[in-house]
Amino acid sequence: MIAPILPGATLGVLGSGQLGRMFAIAARRMGYRVHTLSPDQDTPTGQIADVEIQASYDDLDAVRRFASAVSVVTFEFENVPAATAEAAAEHAPVRPAGTILHTTQHRQREKTFLERAGFPVTPFRKVETAEELAKAVRDLDCPSILKTADFGYDGKGQARIESAHGAQAAWESIGLAPAVLEQFIRFEREVSVIAARGADGSCVDWGVIENRHRHHILDVSIAPARVSPGIAKRAREIAHQVLETLGVIGVLCVEFFLEPDGRLLINELAPRPHNSGHLTVDANATSQFEQQLRAVCGLPLGSTELLRPAAMANLLGDLWADGEPDWSAALACAPAKLHLYGKLEPRPGRKMGHLTVLAQDTEAALETVLQARKTLTKGRPTKVQC
Ligand code: AMP
């Protein structure tokens, strides 16, 4: 059992995006101080933190100085190099551990870990040579999806292969980088389970959340997911087993494809709070961010009770194409909660914020949140349509 890190202590966050921002908000509310380190300045996390350090993750002296000023280091960005986590660990506990980052930040390592541990995972092959690619396409058939092993998120570094002839061109389009080829799954729906594991090994989750993507980016999440109790139980069990097998102290999201025959396949893991769990801030007794804080500080985990069915819609930079969205209209038309991340530059595809709506059932929540998002750009032509 570890000694709890109590309010008043300083917590370190590697990374400075919206996940760190919402973690920092939870931490500040509970009386902690927050330091963040990333290569950027005036960041979503830095705007909330007490101290924002601008340094490269490879600047290990800066990382050591950062870690020596905090009681625990956690992260909100999983592509932090292993050496960074190791340097931080010389001065403060890193939770979840750097070894977990190392496994989950690389698709080959992550999928190999899952397969070896007996978890159901999307059929895949490692691709590092033209011969491996040709064999993988023969084994998995087309269509299939080639994904870079490193630095992949929101569909970046991915190419769909429609026929064996197009395989080499697809690999070239992702820079001939080490990759995995995945079978294309004709899923019925996508769901995720976010779970937290405390320092004492206790494990909780927020139930199954249903996710809809557009252009490979999460668009909408609803809770609870529209799946049978049997599937929900199985998804939650798998998630708990993943956290236990990895020895996570913190929060981890398991993203699944649900096949039409009811089989669940793991698409990927994220060893941190996840976009599909943003609705927990408004809809659950304890949010994923407060839970991350409780877990990494060695405190008891909070109740994950869902207060009301909920839906969350992401707000991408595309919404700014014709000027600032009409915030008053969206807030006036619906019981929508607005979350904006303080990002200064609204680029297409960039996650700028989200809206959450609670309602008597998920259908009503979904309809209202989409309506609220629509009103942001009402009367204007926009590329983002609900
Ligand atoms: P990823 O970044 O790997 O999570 O991919 C983003 C999204 O692309 C997923 O949430 C799916 O909607 C889609 N996708 C990724 N891999 C596959 C696959 N093997 N089969 C079908 N759709 C996929």
Side-chain angles (χ1 to χ4, degrees):
M1 193 58 206
I2 59 170
I5 298 164
L6 297 171
T10 303
L11 314 178
V13 183
L14 285 170
S16 61
Q18 62 268 19
L19 302 176
R21 179 184 184 90
M22 289 182 266
F23 173 84
I25 290 170
R28 297 285 293 243
R29 202 189 62 217
M30 287 175 64
Y32 289 88
R33 292 181 177 275
V34 178
H35 292 189
T36 177
L37 180 144
S38 81
D40 303 312
Q41 217 180 6
D42 192 16
T43 59
T45 310
Q47 291 164 8
I48 308 294
D50 297 82
V51 174
E52 179 179 50
I53 298 163
Q54 185 181 20
S56 154
Y57 297 119
D58 298 322
D59 181 348
L60 299 186
D61 288 334
V63 171
R64 289 188 185 98
R65 277 196 302 278
F66 157 78
S68 58
V70 302
S71 298
V72 64
V73 172
T74 189
F75 44 84
E76 65 101 54
F77 172 67
E78 73 253 43
N79 287 317
V80 169
T84 307
E86 276 164 30
E90 291 167 18
H91 298 277
V94 176
R95 297 183 186 136
T99 49
I100 298 170
L101 268 191
H102 184 68
T103 301
T104 55
Q105 68 191 189
H106 188 274
R107 289 190 199 271
Q108 290 176 358
R109 286 196 290 267
E110 177 176 287
K111 285 175 189 293
T112 305
F113 153 74
L114 289 167
E115 192 174 57
R116 287 197 183 140
F119 292 107
V121 61
T122 309
F124 74 99
R125 294 289 183 279
K126 164 173 102 57
V127 171
E128 287 180 9
T129 63
E131 292 70 41
E132 282 180 340
L133 174 61
K135 180 166 184 326
V137 173
R138 279 197 304 277
D139 288 353
L140 299 179
D141 221 340
C142 294
S144 51
I145 301 191
L146 195 61
K147 302 179 177 180
T148 54
D150 283 313
F151 298 111
Y153 69 99
D154 288 347
K156 292 188 174 59
Q158 297 191 11
R160 190 171 151 135
I161 299 180
E162 298 294 347
S163 73
H165 301 299
Q168 184 64 24
W171 196 26
E172 281 165 18
S173 78
I174 60 165
L176 299 173
V180 292
L181 186 74
E182 282 182 17
Q183 197 172 75
F184 184 80
I185 306 299
R186 296 183 197 285
F187 51 79
E188 185 192 282
R189 58 191 73 206
E190 290 186 82
V191 297
S192 54
V193 176
I194 302 168
R197 187 165 174 275
D200 61 356
S202 57
C203 210
V204 299
D205 66 80
W206 285 264
V208 184
I209 297 170
E210 183 176 330
N211 305 313
R212 209 166 70 193
H213 292 77
R214 280 189 100 239
H215 306 306
H216 301 278
I217 303 175
L218 183 68
D219 184 41
V220 174
S221 293
I222 60 175
R226 295 166 292 188
V227 297
S228 71
I231 287 170
K233 182 166 176 283
R234 175 95 188 104
R236 296 173 64 199
E237 278 168 3
I238 292 171
H240 285 230
Q241 284 161 10
V242 169
L243 271 85
E244 269 153 31
T245 310
L246 282 170
V248 170
I249 299 180
V251 169
L252 180 140
C253 175
V254 184
E255 288 184 64
F256 295 97
F257 297 133
L258 173 61
E259 296 194 286
D261 63 3
R263 265 197 318 158
L264 286 160
L265 293 174
I266 298 180
N267 170 30
E268 64 178 356
L269 308 178
R272 48 162 173 78
H274 188 257
N275 194 169
S276 61
H278 288 0
L279 51 75
T280 64
V281 172
D282 298 304
N284 294 78
T286 307
S287 75
Q288 60 173 351
F289 302 102
E290 180 181 332
Q291 206 77 288
Q292 179 186 18
L293 178 148
R294 287 172 176 246
V296 304
C297 288
L299 297 170
L301 299 182
S303 160
T304 55
E305 183 191 349
L306 182 69
L307 305 174
R308 291 183 83 199
M312 184 276 328
N314 268 337
L315 305 178
L316 301 186
D318 312 53
L319 286 166
W320 276 250
D322 296 299
E324 191 74 11
D326 187 349
W327 304 120
S328 323
L331 292 171
C333 88
K337 293 284 186 188
L338 173 64
H339 300 252
L340 288 173
Y341 308 147
K343 294 183 185 177
L344 305 179
E345 213 190 311
R347 293 191 295 271
R350 191 174 196 206
K351 291 173 182 168
M352 303 295 290
H354 67 268
L355 289 168
T356 307
V357 166
L358 311 189
Q360 71 278 13
D361 57 49
T362 47
E363 266 71 22
L366 180 60
E367 195 180 312
T368 310
V369 86
L370 292 179
Q371 194 55 42
R373 184 170 65 180
K374 239 179 202 166
T375 61
L376 289 173
T377 52
K378 210 171 179 179
R380 296 193 209 153
T382 172
K383 286 183 211 133
V384 175
Q385 293 296 330
C386 299

